[in-house]
Amino acid sequence: MEINRKNIVKRTWYYMEQRKGYIVDSHRDPVLIQRMMEQALVALGEICIVDDAGRYLYVSDEYAKSMDVSIEDAMGKPISEFIDNTDIPNVLKTGRPTKGVIYRRNGRSFWLNRFPIKEDGKIIGAVGQAMMTDDQELDRLRSQLGSLVKELNYYKEKYRQSAGKRHSVSSVITRSEGMLALKETLFTVARTRSTVLLTGESGTGKEVFANAIHDLSPRKDKPFVKLNCAAIPDHLLEAELFGYEEGSFTGALKGGKIGDFEAADGGTILLDEVDSLTPGMQSKLLRVIQEREVKKVGSTKPTPVDVRFIFATNKNLFKLVKDGQFREDFYYRINVISLELPPLRERLEDIPLLAEHFIRKLNAELDMEIKGMTPEALSLLESYQWPGNIRELENYMERAFNFAQGDLLKAEYFHLPVADGTQKLVSMTLKNIRQRAEETAIKRALKITNGNKKEAAELLEIDRSLLYDKIKLYGI
Ligand SMILES: Nc1ncnc2c1ncn2[C@@H]1O[C@H](COP(=O)(O)OP(=O)(O)OP(=O)(O)O)[C@@H](O)[C@H]1O
Ligand SMILES: [Mg+2]
């Protein structure tokens, strides 16, 4: 046996020497090289070499031991007689290696690699390598892979944010008149560089709109950078937005850091939750918007930047200004084009469309095949207030998916909160609907006229005294 194997090693070495691309120092003692090649094969561990018909030519001791194959029995016989489902015939056929396949045999796990051996482009055999591994090792590899995937997702998300390709205008799903009109204005708004202020309750789609504006604009191939003003402490926010010079404060990175404004150069920057900016930051930002240049922290030299600003908030900034909690000059600076997204409860007609959209999305994400929802489920959704708007709808849809049995979503799968003091179900009587519509119209009119009741009454084409009555009635 021993002699036999040595011969094979010799032939292998000869073969390798013939091949272009292998470095075999021909001035060395061939016997030494042969011994080294032999050692190399041993070091590779559980290894076998087969010919073009998949018959065993070489089997290492380790291979024989772990795969429970007797060398004497195996020699010259096809590998498929010993190892079921072996991929070697496939490798011989396609000439493509397979790497990192996990194989279990006799309660043990192996990490398999298989490589074709070619000569003059013809497949003349294959090498199979099996590294025995225990479940702990596999778990370690799996978790290593898992954290790599997580890291990759993090960078993908960062890339997505800066590339801003996630939402185009077609992501705005609606058939309500007000929203369709807003969607239409996006095309005009996108063409300019004017600052946009997006307002609306949480989850109404402000970020979707900001994305769509960027995507429709001539800046669409430049970065879209999003920053949540509430998520970062004030002293870091400045460094984050403006960047800093090396050594400008303790903890500053070597070489300094480029700020978000510079990073967004040529593109769009979304400053979300702008209401949480401190007056100090507001006045610094005011300068950037006016001068279109930034000064890094610790630097005196300004850098010009070309960015389009979009601000978003779910607060009433005008009210904050009146209460002295937001700078008036800054408010007027950012309130150039203002788009207000209506809450979902004011556009209940969108619910069937959105539900359909989320069913499609969740089917794909969760690998399910929900076909739709029962009429009772739909009318339940249409009778709820949706304080968290579309985001809340999406969450409840996902919840219903988790409880779903069969291919239709039923009302009980949603577990919507039942009527209590805070979450009253919307009454569907005509009177109630009319009152809600009135209330909304009055609030809008007052907002547009900055609280001027005379102008609001004119806008609504009603008597001023009637307006006063209604304001009192609805407690506005
Ligand atoms: N018209 C729409 N069509 C489809 N999906 C929408 C629409 N509007 C919002 N969404 C989805 O609803 C979720 C919330 O939207 P978004 O993040 O834009 O809300 P937001 O107004 O920025 O909320 P917040 O004030 O809490 O930040 C997202 O998953 C978004 O994809
Ligand atoms: Mg948002």
Side-chain angles (χ1 to χ4, degrees):
M1 198 76 251
E2 191 57 20
I3 291 164
N4 222 341
R5 289 177 67 190
K6 278 221 171 102
N7 273 338
I8 290 165
V9 170
K10 200 168 160 190
R11 268 172 42 204
T12 313
W13 171 65
Y14 173 77
Y15 162 73
M16 288 175 105
E17 201 185 29
Q18 302 296 306
R19 265 188 76 146
K20 290 187 187 75
Y22 281 93
I23 304 163
V24 176
D25 183 351
S26 50
H27 302 300
R28 295 282 180 96
D29 173 8
V31 179
L32 175 73
I33 292 183
Q34 184 179 323
R35 278 213 309 277
M36 284 171 77
M37 293 298 301
E38 196 175 18
Q39 288 299 313
L41 282 178
V42 171
L44 282 172
E46 295 129 5
I47 192 166
C48 71
I49 301 175
V50 298
D51 66 9
D52 57 345
R55 287 182 297 244
Y56 280 122
L57 286 180
Y58 170 88
V59 165
S60 74
D61 282 339
E62 288 86 351
Y63 181 95
K65 231 185 283 151
S66 352
M67 300 302 238
D68 209 7
V69 167
S70 136
I71 296 179
E72 284 79 7
D73 285 354
M75 272 312 142
K77 296 212 190 92
I79 183 169
S80 50
E81 269 182 34
F82 296 85
I83 315 280
D84 32 86
N85 297 328
T86 173
D87 202 39
I88 288 274
N90 209 18
V91 173
L92 289 169
K93 209 161 77 196
T94 62
R96 272 195 299 272
T98 55
K99 294 182 199 166
V101 179
I102 290 170
Y103 171 73
R104 290 187 75 85
R105 185 179 161 89
N106 298 343
R108 278 180 293 193
S109 303
F110 299 91
W111 187 259
L112 300 184
N113 294 320
R114 300 146 186 132
F115 309 91
I117 306 173
K118 294 182 191 171
E119 196 171 56
D120 299 328
K122 212 173 131 249
I123 299 156
I124 57 164
V127 181
Q129 185 191 16
M131 286 180 282
M132 190 159 53
T133 160
D134 54 30
D135 287 344
Q136 258 172 330
E137 177 69 7
L138 279 181
D139 279 348
R140 196 184 59 79
L141 284 170
R142 236 179 251 130
S143 87
Q144 220 172 45
L145 206 63
S147 64
L148 277 174
V149 168
K150 242 192 234 147
E151 208 172 295
L152 182 69
N153 284 341
Y154 170 78
Y155 285 112
K156 268 196 200 154
E157 170 69 9
K158 260 211 112 94
Y159 174 77
R160 180 195 69 72
Q161 283 189 4
S162 60
K165 285 275 179 281
R166 198 170 64 132
H167 297 296
S168 60
V169 71
S170 59
S171 311
V172 181
I173 290 171
T174 187
R175 68 163 169 233
S176 86
E177 240 171 79
M179 280 288 286
L180 285 174
L182 275 179
K183 208 171 151 176
E184 205 51 45
T185 57
L186 290 184
F187 290 86
T188 327
V189 167
R191 257 179 264 135
T192 71
R193 194 176 75 168
S194 305
T195 300
V196 176
L197 176 62
L198 294 168
T199 59
E201 290 177 14
S202 176
T204 45
K206 297 184 291 294
E207 200 175 329
V208 177
F209 262 60
N211 271 276
I213 292 172
H214 174 73
D215 200 60
L216 286 171
S217 77
R219 303 170 170 263
K220 70 172 193 300
D221 296 322
K222 293 286 169 64
F224 176 86
V225 175
K226 186 201 147 187
L227 199 83
N228 187 332
C229 303
I232 309 174
D234 213 41
H235 63 286
L236 284 184
L237 184 62
E238 189 175 352
E240 203 59 35
L241 283 173
F242 298 87
Y244 52 77
E245 296 289 350
E246 182 173 336
S248 49
F249 55 89
T250 40
L253 290 175
K254 206 166 173 299
K257 182 183 182 294
I258 183 176
D260 281 344
F261 286 131
E262 265 183 88
D265 199 27
T268 308
I269 189 160
L270 166 64
L271 294 172
D272 207 355
E273 302 204 39
V274 59
D275 51 274
S276 56
L277 286 177
T278 59
M281 271 313 288
Q282 288 174 36
S283 76
K284 283 189 176 130
L285 272 177
L286 190 61
R287 257 200 316 275
V288 179
I289 301 174
Q290 269 162 356
E291 318 292 338
R292 301 269 170 192
E293 55 182 36
V294 291
K295 258 190 226 137
K296 283 186 177 172
V297 177
S299 160
T300 48
K301 203 171 81 290
T303 321
V305 287
D306 166 30
V307 287
R308 204 262 169 90
F309 290 92
I310 302 181
F311 293 92
T313 177
N314 54 26
K315 299 269 158 47
N316 182 343
L317 288 186
F318 185 70
K319 191 167 172 295
L320 292 181
V321 170
K322 272 200 304 193
D323 297 347
Q325 287 168 27
F326 201 81
R327 286 180 67 124
E328 193 171 3
D329 50 359
F330 186 58
Y331 172 68
Y332 286 113
R333 253 296 154 194
I334 66 174
N335 190 15
V336 181
I337 298 173
S338 154
L339 302 177
E340 188 188 350
L341 303 195
L344 186 55
R345 65 183 162 281
E346 285 176 19
R347 42 175 165 126
L348 293 173
E349 64 270 37
D350 279 348
I351 285 185
L353 213 61
L354 286 166
E356 216 176 276
H357 164 71
F358 289 129
I359 287 174
R360 236 178 293 125
K361 187 170 168 231
L362 290 164
N363 270 336
E365 277 173 18
L366 305 173
D367 197 18
M368 287 172 69
E369 284 179 14
I370 298 290
K371 303 261 185 304
M373 53 172 72
T374 62
E376 296 77 40
L378 189 59
S379 61
L380 174 75
L381 297 188
E382 285 170 338
S383 66
Y384 179 66
Q385 288 265 9
W386 300 113
N389 295 291
I390 299 168
R391 183 178 296 112
E392 190 184 18
L393 174 65
E394 184 169 9
N395 291 343
Y396 273 108
M397 294 293 298
E398 187 172 337
R399 174 179 210 153
F401 262 69
N402 282 304
F403 286 101
Q405 287 165 9
D407 54 8
L408 281 185
L409 297 181
K410 293 186 187 159
E412 70 250 35
Y413 299 156
F414 287 89
H415 298 97
L416 273 176
V418 277
D420 64 20
T422 51
Q423 283 294 350
K424 53 182 188 302
L425 287 174
V426 185
S427 154
M428 293 301 282
T429 62
L430 199 57
K431 181 169 167 237
N432 193 290
I433 292 169
R434 194 170 54 230
Q435 285 182 347
R436 272 196 292 134
E438 273 187 11
E439 186 184 333
T440 313
I442 293 169
K443 280 185 184 159
R444 285 257 178 83
L446 286 170
K447 193 162 179 191
I448 292 167
T449 61
N450 282 340
N452 185 322
K453 299 197 182 71
K454 181 168 169 283
E455 284 174 24
E458 279 166 16
L459 203 66
L460 293 164
E461 296 186 355
I462 55 170
D463 219 55
R464 206 172 349 151
S465 59
L466 181 61
L467 178 64
Y468 280 112
D469 288 348
K470 299 265 183 203
I471 288 175
K472 213 165 127 203
L473 175 67
Y474 300 130
I476 297 170

